[in-house]
Amino acid sequence: MRNPDTSGERSREWPRHGGQPGPLLTRFGLAPDTPLLDASANLNPLGPPAWLAGWLAQRLQRRPLALAGYPDPEYREAREAIAAEEGVAPEQVLLTNGGAEAIFLAAALQARERPGSLAAIVQPTFAEYARACAAHGLPIRSLSLAPPAFDLDVEAIAAGLGEARLLFLCRPNNPTGTLVPRADMERLLMLTAARGITLVVDEAFIDFVGGETEDGDEALTPLLARFDHLVLLRSLTKRYTLPGLRLGYLLADAETVHRAAACQPAWSVNGLAAALVAPLLADGDFARRSRTWLALERPRLAAGLEALGLVVVPSRANFFLVRHPAGQEATRRLLPALLRRGVLVRHTESFAGLDGGWLRLALRDAADNDRLLAALAGALTEAQEEGAGGGAS
Ligand SMILES: Cc1ncc(COP(=O)(O)O)c(C=O)c1O
């Protein structure tokens, strides 16, 4: 269950996140301006909403203070809009500069109140939990999920926690796309409550779980009323495709939010992004179209990937973790073969326990998904020919 946190020398040479083609193009000897379909960053391909550019232009024209005035340091309007959508009190919402800041605030709060305490991270997962813990002087214990299913066994996780006082868990998990069922989360919440362990659940991709149904059923928000050691992290960046603007939030009981706010720099979220929250959440049409896209494209891409003979982890998110059935080296060869076909996917060299043996593919619109499948078909044929020509498989 326990692994030392070994990211390894080699992983440092790889870009840490998706959406960074430059270092990979250089690594594989391709021109830096090679046009690429980006299937490496997990963003909603329908966004940003069409009205956004006009909204920003108008805002700047009509409200000169949009840039020249400080935002409300309490972000009341944005927090009220989020609270209304989530069914919690505004005091339970902390607006953040993307989900990334929420992660760092969770670690900062822990470090302030229990300095140097052990933090457990369920791996393979998003690298920022480990970075946030390291930045705040929290030693890390990695708890591993086993491939190819990456299922979480609550009792095994609880047994592996040892002296940990903080647990980071991503749901659905990046990069596996797997979602720990709500019943298992309730069990984990009871076990961690009994041991005084704060449970931080990053639900950055929870908006992509539902697909065809309207329900936000899988979100853990209702459990906040029962468990005051539960902290939920969210990203609006992913849902509305705003990585350049950035928006996220943290949900917890009011007292925890108050203490986390004390760790946040003043005006951390810019005024334009904060003013956008209410209109974004009010855009029911965008939400409906996103659900329709997911309901159609996720099963279609999954079927296409399986038809190509890839090992595909069943995903509840807007991305798929896949590997070549012949193993790690064959999978590694797919990455440059895809780049040569104009498609950028996410390597897994920097994910603890995956070590490059898998690739993460973002779900995009129908045309891009077809392009991805065609490029994969070509890359697989090339990998097979290379393998037959004596390369390692
Ligand atoms: C699991 C997870 N949480 C949080 C984030 C950061 O979200 P944001 O871009 O809103 O800061 C990411 C971004 O990739 C992510 O994968």
Side-chain angles (χ1 to χ4, degrees):
M1 200 70 242
R2 256 170 67 186
N3 271 351
D5 188 55
T6 50
S7 37
E9 274 303 306
R10 216 156 57 82
S11 65
R12 282 192 203 112
E13 302 156 17
W14 293 82
R16 229 178 35 228
H17 294 294
Q20 291 179 268
L24 293 173
L25 289 167
T26 308
R27 167 182 281 263
F28 295 110
L30 295 163
D33 56 353
T34 305
L36 291 172
L37 160 63
D38 186 357
S40 72
N42 301 322
L43 297 161
N44 185 345
L46 273 54
W51 50 264
L52 184 72
W55 183 94
L56 286 171
Q58 256 195 3
R59 185 111 190 155
L60 291 175
Q61 226 171 30
R62 293 209 189 138
R63 299 210 191 171
L65 283 181
L67 287 187
Y70 280 99
D72 166 16
E74 304 293 331
Y75 300 111
R76 283 186 197 85
E77 190 191 310
R79 288 168 57 211
E80 275 163 19
I82 293 166
E85 190 187 75
E86 296 283 2
V88 298
E91 295 72 30
Q92 291 184 268
V93 181
L94 182 63
L95 192 69
T96 61
N97 194 353
E101 189 190 28
I103 294 167
F104 268 64
L105 286 175
L109 181 61
Q110 183 73 7
R112 198 171 95 151
E113 299 185 348
R114 299 196 264 197
S117 56
L118 185 66
I121 301 178
V122 180
Q123 303 268 16
T125 197
F126 190 46
E128 294 300 311
Y129 314 132
R131 279 189 76 237
C133 291
H136 292 286
L138 303 175
I140 295 161
R141 168 172 297 181
S142 291
L143 305 173
S144 305
L145 302 175
F150 299 100
D151 284 334
L152 182 139
D153 175 339
V154 173
E155 310 301 328
I157 290 291
L161 284 170
E163 295 305 308
R165 287 292 162 265
L166 174 68
L167 172 60
F168 271 107
L169 184 103
C170 187
R171 179 181 183 272
N173 186 34
N174 173 10
T176 59
T178 47
L179 181 92
V180 180
R182 170 107 71 109
D184 287 355
M185 289 307 302
E186 290 197 40
R187 174 99 188 107
L188 191 57
L189 278 159
M190 286 189 274
L191 291 171
T192 46
R195 293 164 59 181
I197 300 170
T198 303
L199 180 48
V200 178
V201 185
D202 184 353
E203 295 191 328
F205 295 102
I206 199 75
D207 302 310
F208 299 100
V209 168
E212 62 284 358
T213 57
E214 180 115 12
D215 61 3
D217 251 359
E218 281 295 350
L220 295 185
T221 323
L223 297 181
L224 289 170
R226 282 173 50 203
F227 298 102
D228 64 5
H229 68 304
L230 172 63
V231 176
L232 297 178
L233 314 181
R234 298 287 177 74
S235 165
L236 296 177
T237 309
K238 307 277 178 206
R239 178 163 154 192
Y240 296 104
T241 331
L242 307 167
L245 205 54
R246 323 205 39 69
L247 269 172
Y249 53 96
L250 178 153
L251 299 174
D253 82 310
E255 175 55 27
T256 307
V257 166
H258 183 70
R259 289 183 285 118
C263 300
Q264 187 181 34
W267 310 292
S268 191
V269 180
N270 72 76
L272 284 173
L276 255 178
V277 171
L280 284 172
L281 296 184
D283 189 346
D285 178 57
F286 185 81
R288 264 187 303 279
R289 287 190 297 112
S290 298
R291 280 196 295 276
T292 306
W293 154 73
L294 264 172
L296 288 174
E297 284 305 308
R298 184 163 50 198
R300 196 176 76 83
L301 183 60
L305 295 170
E306 274 160 16
L308 289 173
L310 291 165
V311 177
V312 183
V313 180
S315 173
R316 300 292 306 274
N318 55 329
F319 48 84
F320 285 96
L321 191 66
V322 304
R323 71 174 166 83
H324 193 295
Q328 186 180 45
E329 287 313 315
T331 306
R332 278 208 173 108
R333 282 202 294 270
L334 290 177
L335 180 72
L338 285 168
L339 271 179
R340 287 193 290 275
R341 287 166 175 79
V343 175
L344 175 67
V345 299
R346 177 67 162 90
H347 71 84
T348 58
E349 303 287 346
S350 49
F351 284 105
L354 297 186
D355 304 319
W358 297 78
L359 294 173
R360 194 192 67 199
L361 317 175
L363 180 68
R364 298 189 48 90
D365 66 17
D368 283 355
N369 292 336
D370 284 342
R371 234 184 106 191
L372 171 64
L373 288 170
L376 271 166
L380 282 162
T381 308
E382 186 184 311
Q384 197 173 13
E385 284 162 5
E386 271 179 34
S393 65

mmCIF file of all heavy atoms in Angstrom, residues 49-89:
data_model
loop_
_atom_site.group_PDB
_atom_site.id
_atom_site.type_symbol
_atom_site.label_atom_id
_atom_site.label_comp_id
_atom_site.label_asym_id
_atom_site.label_seq_id
_atom_site.Cartn_x
_atom_site.Cartn_y
_atom_site.Cartn_z
ATOM 1 N N PRO A 49 -17.544 30.104 -22.943
ATOM 2 C CA PRO A 49 -18.836 30.441 -23.519
ATOM 3 C C PRO A 49 -18.703 31.590 -24.537
ATOM 4 O O PRO A 49 -17.888 32.494 -24.346
ATOM 5 C CB PRO A 49 -19.662 30.890 -22.312
ATOM 6 C CG PRO A 49 -19.009 30.242 -21.142
ATOM 7 C CD PRO A 49 -17.548 30.131 -21.468
ATOM 8 N N ALA A 50 -19.526 31.525 -25.591
ATOM 9 C CA ALA A 50 -19.390 32.470 -26.709
ATOM 10 C C ALA A 50 -19.557 33.922 -26.265
ATOM 11 O O ALA A 50 -18.967 34.826 -26.854
ATOM 12 C CB ALA A 50 -20.410 32.111 -27.783
ATOM 13 N N TRP A 51 -20.352 34.162 -25.222
ATOM 14 C CA TRP A 51 -20.633 35.542 -24.803
ATOM 15 C C TRP A 51 -19.476 36.172 -24.027
ATOM 16 O O TRP A 51 -19.460 37.374 -23.762
ATOM 17 C CB TRP A 51 -21.908 35.622 -23.953
ATOM 18 C CG TRP A 51 -21.958 34.634 -22.807
ATOM 19 C CD1 TRP A 51 -22.566 33.415 -22.809
ATOM 20 C CD2 TRP A 51 -21.372 34.788 -21.497
ATOM 21 N NE1 TRP A 51 -22.396 32.790 -21.597
ATOM 22 C CE2 TRP A 51 -21.671 33.609 -20.770
ATOM 23 C CE3 TRP A 51 -20.627 35.778 -20.872
ATOM 24 C CZ2 TRP A 51 -21.240 33.416 -19.451
ATOM 25 C CZ3 TRP A 51 -20.202 35.585 -19.556
ATOM 26 C CH2 TRP A 51 -20.512 34.410 -18.868
ATOM 27 N N LEU A 52 -18.481 35.360 -23.673
ATOM 28 C CA LEU A 52 -17.459 35.835 -22.733
ATOM 29 C C LEU A 52 -16.627 37.020 -23.265
ATOM 30 O O LEU A 52 -16.417 38.012 -22.554
ATOM 31 C CB LEU A 52 -16.536 34.674 -22.353
ATOM 32 C CG LEU A 52 -15.488 35.011 -21.309
ATOM 33 C CD1 LEU A 52 -16.103 35.187 -19.943
ATOM 34 C CD2 LEU A 52 -14.434 33.925 -21.244
ATOM 35 N N ALA A 53 -16.197 36.921 -24.531
ATOM 36 C CA ALA A 53 -15.340 37.991 -25.072
ATOM 37 C C ALA A 53 -16.099 39.316 -25.058
ATOM 38 O O ALA A 53 -15.561 40.355 -24.651
ATOM 39 C CB ALA A 53 -14.881 37.629 -26.477
ATOM 40 N N GLY A 54 -17.382 39.287 -25.494
ATOM 41 C CA GLY A 54 -18.210 40.503 -25.504
ATOM 42 C C GLY A 54 -18.427 41.029 -24.095
ATOM 43 O O GLY A 54 -18.386 42.237 -23.849
ATOM 44 N N TRP A 55 -18.657 40.126 -23.161
ATOM 45 C CA TRP A 55 -18.877 40.512 -21.752
ATOM 46 C C TRP A 55 -17.646 41.249 -21.219
ATOM 47 O O TRP A 55 -17.765 42.293 -20.592
ATOM 48 C CB TRP A 55 -19.161 39.252 -20.937
ATOM 49 C CG TRP A 55 -19.473 39.492 -19.490
ATOM 50 C CD1 TRP A 55 -20.710 39.623 -18.922
ATOM 51 C CD2 TRP A 55 -18.529 39.635 -18.412
ATOM 52 N NE1 TRP A 55 -20.597 39.836 -17.581
ATOM 53 C CE2 TRP A 55 -19.271 39.860 -17.226
ATOM 54 C CE3 TRP A 55 -17.141 39.607 -18.334
ATOM 55 C CZ2 TRP A 55 -18.663 40.031 -15.982
ATOM 56 C CZ3 TRP A 55 -16.531 39.793 -17.099
ATOM 57 C CH2 TRP A 55 -17.303 40.005 -15.938
ATOM 58 N N LEU A 56 -16.474 40.712 -21.521
ATOM 59 C CA LEU A 56 -15.234 41.340 -21.028
ATOM 60 C C LEU A 56 -15.055 42.727 -21.650
ATOM 61 O O LEU A 56 -14.745 43.701 -20.962
ATOM 62 C CB LEU A 56 -14.019 40.459 -21.363
ATOM 63 C CG LEU A 56 -13.860 39.191 -20.525
ATOM 64 C CD1 LEU A 56 -12.761 38.295 -21.096
ATOM 65 C CD2 LEU A 56 -13.553 39.515 -19.065
ATOM 66 N N ALA A 57 -15.302 42.809 -22.982
ATOM 67 C CA ALA A 57 -15.116 44.089 -23.680
ATOM 68 C C ALA A 57 -16.061 45.142 -23.095
ATOM 69 O O ALA A 57 -15.650 46.272 -22.815
ATOM 70 C CB ALA A 57 -15.364 43.900 -25.170
ATOM 71 N N GLN A 58 -17.307 44.735 -22.898
ATOM 72 C CA GLN A 58 -18.314 45.664 -22.359
ATOM 73 C C GLN A 58 -17.959 46.120 -20.962
ATOM 74 O O GLN A 58 -18.092 47.276 -20.601
ATOM 75 C CB GLN A 58 -19.653 44.944 -22.290
ATOM 76 C CG GLN A 58 -20.583 45.367 -23.378
ATOM 77 C CD GLN A 58 -21.998 44.910 -23.034
ATOM 78 O OE1 GLN A 58 -22.254 44.344 -21.972
ATOM 79 N NE2 GLN A 58 -22.908 45.164 -23.949
ATOM 80 N N ARG A 59 -17.537 45.176 -20.186
ATOM 81 C CA ARG A 59 -17.195 45.457 -18.801
ATOM 82 C C ARG A 59 -16.068 46.508 -18.727
ATOM 83 O O ARG A 59 -16.113 47.425 -17.930
ATOM 84 C CB ARG A 59 -16.736 44.149 -18.155
ATOM 85 C CG ARG A 59 -16.470 44.234 -16.706
ATOM 86 C CD ARG A 59 -17.523 43.450 -15.952
ATOM 87 N NE ARG A 59 -17.411 43.732 -14.538
ATOM 88 C CZ ARG A 59 -18.396 43.625 -13.688
ATOM 89 N NH1 ARG A 59 -19.583 43.250 -14.094
ATOM 90 N NH2 ARG A 59 -18.225 43.880 -12.421
ATOM 91 N N LEU A 60 -15.080 46.332 -19.608
ATOM 92 C CA LEU A 60 -13.948 47.258 -19.596
ATOM 93 C C LEU A 60 -14.377 48.648 -20.069
ATOM 94 O O LEU A 60 -13.903 49.663 -19.571
ATOM 95 C CB LEU A 60 -12.827 46.715 -20.488
ATOM 96 C CG LEU A 60 -12.141 45.465 -19.936
ATOM 97 C CD1 LEU A 60 -11.120 44.918 -20.919
ATOM 98 C CD2 LEU A 60 -11.466 45.757 -18.594
ATOM 99 N N GLN A 61 -15.309 48.667 -21.046
ATOM 100 C CA GLN A 61 -15.772 49.935 -21.598
ATOM 101 C C GLN A 61 -16.646 50.697 -20.595
ATOM 102 O O GLN A 61 -16.451 51.865 -20.336
ATOM 103 C CB GLN A 61 -16.610 49.635 -22.825
ATOM 104 C CG GLN A 61 -16.280 50.494 -23.996
ATOM 105 C CD GLN A 61 -17.007 49.965 -25.223
ATOM 106 O OE1 GLN A 61 -18.092 49.378 -25.116
ATOM 107 N NE2 GLN A 61 -16.413 50.173 -26.377
ATOM 108 N N ARG A 62 -17.603 49.971 -20.009
ATOM 109 C CA ARG A 62 -18.598 50.637 -19.178
ATOM 110 C C ARG A 62 -18.144 50.842 -17.745
ATOM 111 O O ARG A 62 -18.671 51.672 -17.033
ATOM 112 C CB ARG A 62 -19.875 49.785 -19.139
ATOM 113 C CG ARG A 62 -20.541 49.739 -20.471
ATOM 114 C CD ARG A 62 -22.035 49.560 -20.277
ATOM 115 N NE ARG A 62 -22.643 49.292 -21.560
ATOM 116 C CZ ARG A 62 -23.571 48.395 -21.767
ATOM 117 N NH1 ARG A 62 -24.033 47.685 -20.762
ATOM 118 N NH2 ARG A 62 -24.076 48.212 -22.957
ATOM 119 N N ARG A 63 -17.229 50.001 -17.313
ATOM 120 C CA ARG A 63 -16.785 50.121 -15.917
ATOM 121 C C ARG A 63 -15.287 50.299 -15.888
ATOM 122 O O ARG A 63 -14.545 49.304 -15.775
ATOM 123 C CB ARG A 63 -17.144 48.854 -15.140
ATOM 124 C CG ARG A 63 -18.617 48.605 -15.113
ATOM 125 C CD ARG A 63 -18.935 47.895 -13.839
ATOM 126 N NE ARG A 63 -20.291 47.401 -13.873
ATOM 127 C CZ ARG A 63 -20.796 46.605 -12.975
ATOM 128 N NH1 ARG A 63 -20.051 46.189 -11.982
ATOM 129 N NH2 ARG A 63 -22.031 46.213 -13.050
ATOM 130 N N PRO A 64 -14.825 51.531 -15.998
ATOM 131 C CA PRO A 64 -13.372 51.740 -16.028
ATOM 132 C C PRO A 64 -12.688 51.142 -14.809
ATOM 133 O O PRO A 64 -11.542 50.720 -14.867
ATOM 134 C CB PRO A 64 -13.223 53.268 -16.065
ATOM 135 C CG PRO A 64 -14.586 53.849 -15.952
ATOM 136 C CD PRO A 64 -15.596 52.775 -16.107
ATOM 137 N N LEU A 65 -13.446 51.041 -13.704
ATOM 138 C CA LEU A 65 -12.831 50.487 -12.490
ATOM 139 C C LEU A 65 -12.660 48.963 -12.551
ATOM 140 O O LEU A 65 -12.106 48.359 -11.637
ATOM 141 C CB LEU A 65 -13.643 50.873 -11.258
ATOM 142 C CG LEU A 65 -13.432 52.321 -10.789
ATOM 143 C CD1 LEU A 65 -14.260 52.604 -9.555
ATOM 144 C CD2 LEU A 65 -11.963 52.595 -10.498
ATOM 145 N N ALA A 66 -13.158 48.358 -13.664
ATOM 146 C CA ALA A 66 -12.963 46.908 -13.794
ATOM 147 C C ALA A 66 -11.477 46.569 -13.712
ATOM 148 O O ALA A 66 -11.105 45.524 -13.188
ATOM 149 C CB ALA A 66 -13.548 46.407 -15.108
ATOM 150 N N LEU A 67 -10.640 47.451 -14.239
ATOM 151 C CA LEU A 67 -9.196 47.226 -14.123
ATOM 152 C C LEU A 67 -8.561 48.116 -13.064
ATOM 153 O O LEU A 67 -7.623 47.705 -12.399
ATOM 154 C CB LEU A 67 -8.501 47.484 -15.469
ATOM 155 C CG LEU A 67 -8.712 46.447 -16.564
ATOM 156 C CD1 LEU A 67 -7.830 46.769 -17.768
ATOM 157 C CD2 LEU A 67 -8.399 45.038 -16.079
ATOM 158 N N ALA A 68 -9.077 49.332 -12.925
ATOM 159 C CA ALA A 68 -8.393 50.308 -12.068
ATOM 160 C C ALA A 68 -8.913 50.319 -10.634
ATOM 161 O O ALA A 68 -8.506 51.165 -9.844
ATOM 162 C CB ALA A 68 -8.521 51.705 -12.678
ATOM 163 N N GLY A 69 -9.815 49.388 -10.308
ATOM 164 C CA GLY A 69 -10.310 49.344 -8.929
ATOM 165 C C GLY A 69 -10.001 47.996 -8.304
ATOM 166 O O GLY A 69 -9.916 46.978 -8.999
ATOM 167 N N TYR A 70 -9.817 47.987 -7.001
ATOM 168 C CA TYR A 70 -9.592 46.713 -6.303
ATOM 169 C C TYR A 70 -10.902 45.923 -6.262
ATOM 170 O O TYR A 70 -11.973 46.504 -6.081
ATOM 171 C CB TYR A 70 -9.137 46.969 -4.860
ATOM 172 C CG TYR A 70 -7.678 47.297 -4.759
ATOM 173 C CD1 TYR A 70 -7.251 48.612 -4.656
ATOM 174 C CD2 TYR A 70 -6.727 46.280 -4.776
ATOM 175 C CE1 TYR A 70 -5.903 48.922 -4.571
ATOM 176 C CE2 TYR A 70 -5.378 46.590 -4.691
ATOM 177 C CZ TYR A 70 -4.973 47.901 -4.589
ATOM 178 O OH TYR A 70 -3.646 48.191 -4.516
ATOM 179 N N PRO A 71 -10.807 44.605 -6.408
ATOM 180 C CA PRO A 71 -12.021 43.801 -6.224
ATOM 181 C C PRO A 71 -12.447 43.791 -4.755
ATOM 182 O O PRO A 71 -11.632 44.087 -3.877
ATOM 183 C CB PRO A 71 -11.596 42.394 -6.665
ATOM 184 C CG PRO A 71 -10.122 42.388 -6.777
ATOM 185 C CD PRO A 71 -9.629 43.802 -6.784
ATOM 186 N N ASP A 72 -13.720 43.458 -4.514
ATOM 187 C CA ASP A 72 -14.205 43.271 -3.141
ATOM 188 C C ASP A 72 -13.351 42.170 -2.500
ATOM 189 O O ASP A 72 -13.359 41.026 -2.978
ATOM 190 C CB ASP A 72 -15.681 42.847 -3.214
ATOM 191 C CG ASP A 72 -16.201 42.303 -1.885
ATOM 192 O OD1 ASP A 72 -15.532 42.523 -0.844
ATOM 193 O OD2 ASP A 72 -17.269 41.652 -1.905
ATOM 194 N N PRO A 73 -12.616 42.471 -1.436
ATOM 195 C CA PRO A 73 -11.737 41.437 -0.861
ATOM 196 C C PRO A 73 -12.504 40.242 -0.317
ATOM 197 O O PRO A 73 -11.930 39.163 -0.159
ATOM 198 C CB PRO A 73 -10.993 42.183 0.258
ATOM 199 C CG PRO A 73 -11.737 43.444 0.489
ATOM 200 C CD PRO A 73 -12.545 43.752 -0.722
ATOM 201 N N GLU A 74 -13.783 40.420 -0.076
ATOM 202 C CA GLU A 74 -14.604 39.300 0.426
ATOM 203 C C GLU A 74 -15.260 38.527 -0.723
ATOM 204 O O GLU A 74 -15.842 37.471 -0.501
ATOM 205 C CB GLU A 74 -15.706 39.810 1.365
ATOM 206 C CG GLU A 74 -15.211 40.634 2.549
ATOM 207 C CD GLU A 74 -14.401 39.796 3.510
ATOM 208 O OE1 GLU A 74 -14.666 38.580 3.585
ATOM 209 O OE2 GLU A 74 -13.489 40.347 4.156
ATOM 210 N N TYR A 75 -15.239 39.061 -1.913
ATOM 211 C CA TYR A 75 -15.858 38.424 -3.091
ATOM 212 C C TYR A 75 -17.302 37.991 -2.804
ATOM 213 O O TYR A 75 -17.688 36.850 -3.107
ATOM 214 C CB TYR A 75 -15.028 37.223 -3.555
ATOM 215 C CG TYR A 75 -13.612 37.583 -3.941
ATOM 216 C CD1 TYR A 75 -12.534 37.158 -3.172
ATOM 217 C CD2 TYR A 75 -13.352 38.350 -5.065
ATOM 218 C CE1 TYR A 75 -11.228 37.498 -3.511
ATOM 219 C CE2 TYR A 75 -12.052 38.697 -5.417
ATOM 220 C CZ TYR A 75 -10.989 38.263 -4.643
ATOM 221 O OH TYR A 75 -9.712 38.596 -4.976
ATOM 222 N N ARG A 76 -18.086 38.893 -2.192
ATOM 223 C CA ARG A 76 -19.418 38.496 -1.718
ATOM 224 C C ARG A 76 -20.309 37.986 -2.833
ATOM 225 O O ARG A 76 -20.953 36.944 -2.701
ATOM 226 C CB ARG A 76 -20.096 39.686 -1.021
ATOM 227 C CG ARG A 76 -19.548 39.917 0.375
ATOM 228 C CD ARG A 76 -20.314 40.997 1.115
ATOM 229 N NE ARG A 76 -19.527 41.452 2.244
ATOM 230 C CZ ARG A 76 -18.580 42.387 2.186
ATOM 231 N NH1 ARG A 76 -18.316 42.996 1.039
ATOM 232 N NH2 ARG A 76 -17.897 42.728 3.249
ATOM 233 N N GLU A 77 -20.360 38.733 -3.955
ATOM 234 C CA GLU A 77 -21.289 38.359 -5.036
ATOM 235 C C GLU A 77 -20.944 36.965 -5.588
ATOM 236 O O GLU A 77 -21.828 36.128 -5.773
ATOM 237 C CB GLU A 77 -21.186 39.419 -6.134
ATOM 238 C CG GLU A 77 -22.246 39.300 -7.193
ATOM 239 C CD GLU A 77 -21.933 40.218 -8.389
ATOM 240 O OE1 GLU A 77 -21.666 41.405 -8.163
ATOM 241 O OE2 GLU A 77 -21.956 39.706 -9.522
ATOM 242 N N ALA A 78 -19.674 36.735 -5.834
ATOM 243 C CA ALA A 78 -19.259 35.438 -6.393
ATOM 244 C C ALA A 78 -19.559 34.318 -5.403
ATOM 245 O O ALA A 78 -20.069 33.248 -5.773
ATOM 246 C CB ALA A 78 -17.769 35.469 -6.713
ATOM 247 N N ARG A 79 -19.273 34.560 -4.121
ATOM 248 C CA ARG A 79 -19.493 33.500 -3.128
ATOM 249 C C ARG A 79 -20.974 33.206 -2.965
ATOM 250 O O ARG A 79 -21.376 32.053 -2.775
ATOM 251 C CB ARG A 79 -18.855 33.894 -1.800
ATOM 252 C CG ARG A 79 -17.336 33.818 -1.880
ATOM 253 C CD ARG A 79 -16.675 34.480 -0.698
ATOM 254 N NE ARG A 79 -17.108 33.924 0.561
ATOM 255 C CZ ARG A 79 -17.187 34.623 1.694
ATOM 256 N NH1 ARG A 79 -16.881 35.912 1.696
ATOM 257 N NH2 ARG A 79 -17.572 34.046 2.802
ATOM 258 N N GLU A 80 -21.794 34.249 -3.066
ATOM 259 C CA GLU A 80 -23.241 34.004 -2.968
ATOM 260 C C GLU A 80 -23.733 33.172 -4.146
ATOM 261 O O GLU A 80 -24.568 32.276 -3.986
ATOM 262 C CB GLU A 80 -23.993 35.335 -2.888
ATOM 263 C CG GLU A 80 -24.055 35.845 -1.455
ATOM 264 C CD GLU A 80 -24.418 37.312 -1.347
ATOM 265 O OE1 GLU A 80 -24.976 37.878 -2.314
ATOM 266 O OE2 GLU A 80 -24.124 37.898 -0.281
ATOM 267 N N ALA A 81 -23.220 33.477 -5.333
ATOM 268 C CA ALA A 81 -23.646 32.716 -6.520
ATOM 269 C C ALA A 81 -23.237 31.248 -6.380
ATOM 270 O O ALA A 81 -24.017 30.331 -6.681
ATOM 271 C CB ALA A 81 -23.029 33.328 -7.777
ATOM 272 N N ILE A 82 -22.021 31.006 -5.905
ATOM 273 C CA ILE A 82 -21.550 29.620 -5.741
ATOM 274 C C ILE A 82 -22.364 28.925 -4.641
ATOM 275 O O ILE A 82 -22.796 27.780 -4.804
ATOM 276 C CB ILE A 82 -20.040 29.601 -5.395
ATOM 277 C CG1 ILE A 82 -19.227 30.099 -6.587
ATOM 278 C CG2 ILE A 82 -19.592 28.197 -4.991
ATOM 279 C CD1 ILE A 82 -17.779 30.448 -6.269
ATOM 280 N N ALA A 83 -22.582 29.645 -3.541
ATOM 281 C CA ALA A 83 -23.330 29.055 -2.423
ATOM 282 C C ALA A 83 -24.731 28.653 -2.871
ATOM 283 O O ALA A 83 -25.220 27.567 -2.523
ATOM 284 C CB ALA A 83 -23.402 30.055 -1.270
ATOM 285 N N ALA A 84 -25.366 29.505 -3.684
ATOM 286 C CA ALA A 84 -26.727 29.193 -4.151
ATOM 287 C C ALA A 84 -26.690 27.937 -5.021
ATOM 288 O O ALA A 84 -27.557 27.068 -4.926
ATOM 289 C CB ALA A 84 -27.290 30.380 -4.934
ATOM 290 N N GLU A 85 -25.666 27.818 -5.866
ATOM 291 C CA GLU A 85 -25.602 26.636 -6.730
ATOM 292 C C GLU A 85 -25.301 25.372 -5.928
ATOM 293 O O GLU A 85 -25.816 24.297 -6.214
ATOM 294 C CB GLU A 85 -24.534 26.804 -7.809
ATOM 295 C CG GLU A 85 -24.689 25.684 -8.814
ATOM 296 C CD GLU A 85 -23.602 25.606 -9.862
ATOM 297 O OE1 GLU A 85 -22.489 25.162 -9.559
ATOM 298 O OE2 GLU A 85 -23.920 25.939 -11.000
ATOM 299 N N GLU A 86 -24.475 25.501 -4.909
ATOM 300 C CA GLU A 86 -24.044 24.321 -4.152
ATOM 301 C C GLU A 86 -24.990 23.954 -3.013
ATOM 302 O O GLU A 86 -24.859 22.888 -2.414
ATOM 303 C CB GLU A 86 -22.651 24.565 -3.556
ATOM 304 C CG GLU A 86 -21.558 24.747 -4.585
ATOM 305 C CD GLU A 86 -21.108 23.436 -5.205
ATOM 306 O OE1 GLU A 86 -21.686 22.379 -4.863
ATOM 307 O OE2 GLU A 86 -20.196 23.472 -6.035
ATOM 308 N N GLY A 87 -25.898 24.876 -2.671
ATOM 309 C CA GLY A 87 -26.797 24.607 -1.536
ATOM 310 C C GLY A 87 -26.074 24.679 -0.200
ATOM 311 O O GLY A 87 -26.344 23.894 0.714
ATOM 312 N N VAL A 88 -25.110 25.600 -0.093
ATOM 313 C CA VAL A 88 -24.408 25.821 1.181
ATOM 314 C C VAL A 88 -24.502 27.310 1.516
ATOM 315 O O VAL A 88 -25.001 28.107 0.713
ATOM 316 C CB VAL A 88 -22.917 25.393 1.105
ATOM 317 C CG1 VAL A 88 -22.783 23.913 0.820
ATOM 318 C CG2 VAL A 88 -22.155 26.215 0.063
ATOM 319 N N ALA A 89 -23.997 27.701 2.679
ATOM 320 C CA ALA A 89 -23.985 29.116 3.056
ATOM 321 C C ALA A 89 -22.789 29.813 2.403
ATOM 322 O O ALA A 89 -21.752 29.175 2.210
ATOM 323 C CB ALA A 89 -23.876 29.241 4.573
#
